[in-house]
Amino acid sequence: MPHARAVQIEAHGGPEVLKLVEVEVGDPGPGEVRIRHHAIGLNFIDVYQRTGLYPMTLPARLGMEGAGVVEAVGAGVTHLSVGDRVAYASQPPGSYCDVRVMPAMNVCRLPDAISFEEGAAMMLKGLTVQYLLKHCRPVEGLQPGDFVLLHAAAGGVGLIACQWARALGLRLIGTAGSDDKCALALANGAEHCINYRRDNFVERVRAITGGKGVKVVYDSVGKDTWDGSLDCLAPFGLMVSFGNASGAVPPFAPGILGPKGSLYVTRQTLFTHISSRERTQAMADDLFRVVTSGQVKIHVAQRYALDQVQEAHRALQARQTTGSTVLLP
């Protein structure tokens, strides 16, 4: 049976728990494929799983995103063939490896115009942006010219969202932790970007919108931005929580939403949206369209070898990265 390298954790903890081990890789069963990776995506959900914020059964392998070539196809898989260039965002975790056998449902053919590195950097993040902008809309809808607020605007999700929002005619206000990161968000389509380490983002959002607030806040930061985000919303606005980079949002009283403007709150996860082959492909087709058209460019700003995974996690968790990070087998 062929062997491969894979990153595994035996316990939850810091980057030091990430260990490169040798594993056996068999043939795909029904509904599965075997993929040899050319690039692997790094995401904040990997940090949540490593630390135990999202507990996993141990020992566990990490990684939700990758791109490569199909080596073998199991029974019942009709949308993929041996030799296909593919990319995916998928459960279960395990993309931090050379080769893996995995469910085929969320694996999509990668257009020739998109590189493996771009594919590995764009699937989880790009599909996240797709559902945020297309499916997480306020009760009064979103029209060109409307203001929206996005935290972590210079990250992997953020840079895709800045560009895609601009393509849709939305006026995106971003936040980031330095002037350089703000400049990057602005260069990628944000109309405004607020350095939250220097400025009060609630006051700045109110000033930018003439006191009206934004229709939607897209928040992957969590605890540190929650209260302020609610105060940025216009009446009937929608608070979309989709991450916890600063820690989980503490319990709150729903009664506060009324006086703040009869607000709506939702907690989203990508894997609800890609729960079927048809939904996955439709969302991926939309993502591939905006990338191949040039409306959205994928920024791969950091590259690490697979055996440098601890260093990659340290940089990501310390918010020292911009755009997307990939591991290279």
Side-chain angles (χ1 to χ4, degrees):
M1 191 172 293
H3 289 73
R5 299 175 305 157
V7 174
Q8 186 166 288
I9 62 172
E10 303 288 339
H12 293 298
E16 69 280 356
V17 303
L18 298 164
K19 305 297 183 185
L20 195 60
V21 299
E22 190 173 273
V23 297
E24 292 184 341
V25 182
D27 293 323
E32 295 181 332
V33 291
R34 188 172 70 228
I35 296 173
R36 180 167 295 276
H37 288 131
H38 287 234
I40 300 150
L42 199 71
N43 295 281
F44 231 97
I45 191 173
D46 308 344
V47 174
Y48 303 154
Q49 292 172 340
R50 189 202 76 222
T51 61
L53 179 63
Y54 295 173
M56 304 176 72
T57 300
L58 300 173
R61 298 176 193 168
L62 295 186
M64 311 290 287
E65 183 179 41
V69 174
V70 175
E71 285 192 339
V73 176
V77 177
T78 59
H79 69 288
L80 298 172
S81 301
V82 172
D84 281 348
R85 301 173 73 253
V86 295
Y88 64 86
S90 179
Q91 299 271 28
S95 67
Y96 288 11
C97 64
D98 297 316
V99 186
R100 72 180 296 198
V101 171
M102 63 177 292
M105 182 181 75
N106 298 129
V107 180
C108 300
R109 287 180 180 166
L110 187 64
D112 291 340
I114 299 175
S115 72
F116 287 120
E117 287 192 8
E118 290 169 328
M122 70 184 273
M123 292 300 286
L124 191 144
K125 304 168 194 68
L127 293 176
T128 295
V129 175
Q130 200 278 344
Y131 83 69
L132 290 175
L133 294 179
K134 298 296 184 73
H135 301 291
C136 295
R137 291 174 167 251
V139 67
E140 295 182 334
L142 278 178
Q143 290 81 38
D146 285 341
F147 281 108
V148 301
L149 174 64
L150 174 81
H151 293 297
V157 169
L159 292 183
I160 295 173
C162 287
Q163 297 173 79
W164 207 334
R166 177 177 58 184
L168 294 172
L170 300 174
R171 304 177 70 180
L172 187 142
I173 304 169
T175 71
S178 70
D179 288 343
D180 286 345
K181 287 187 175 184
C182 285
L184 184 58
L186 291 168
N188 281 274
E191 185 169 316
H192 304 271
C193 195
I194 303 161
N195 182 342
Y196 64 80
R197 297 188 189 277
R198 184 183 62 225
D199 298 329
N200 182 309
F201 74 83
V202 179
E203 293 176 357
R204 291 278 290 117
V205 167
R206 288 289 170 182
I208 290 166
T209 61
K212 295 180 179 179
V214 299
K215 278 193 168 184
V216 187
V217 177
Y218 299 114
D219 190 338
S220 62
V221 176
K223 177 172 63 71
D224 289 353
T225 51
W226 179 262
D227 292 335
S229 293
L230 293 178
D231 290 336
C232 289
L233 284 165
F236 309 112
L238 174 63
M239 173 67 177
V240 182
S241 173
F242 68 103
N244 315 280
S246 67
V249 175
F252 69 98
I256 69 173
L257 302 176
K260 289 181 180 293
S262 299
L263 305 179
Y264 294 80
V265 173
T266 183
R267 179 59 166 92
Q268 296 285 311
T269 177
L270 171 63
F271 297 103
T272 309
H273 291 270
I274 58 171
S275 58
S276 72
R277 169 80 207 126
E278 293 73 23
R279 286 180 64 93
T280 302
Q281 192 64 57
M283 291 172 64
D285 288 344
D286 196 20
L287 173 61
F288 294 153
R289 178 186 58 78
V290 296
V291 172
T292 56
S293 71
Q295 292 177 300
V296 171
K297 291 181 170 58
I298 306 301
H299 294 269
V300 180
Q302 296 83 213
R303 297 168 177 82
Y304 296 87
L306 188 60
D307 59 9
Q308 296 175 306
V309 64
Q310 293 185 5
E311 181 182 345
H313 266 240
R314 289 189 184 97
L316 181 66
Q317 195 167 4
R319 303 189 197 180
Q320 295 171 348
T321 64
T322 58
S324 298
T325 300
V326 296
L327 301 172
L328 301 175

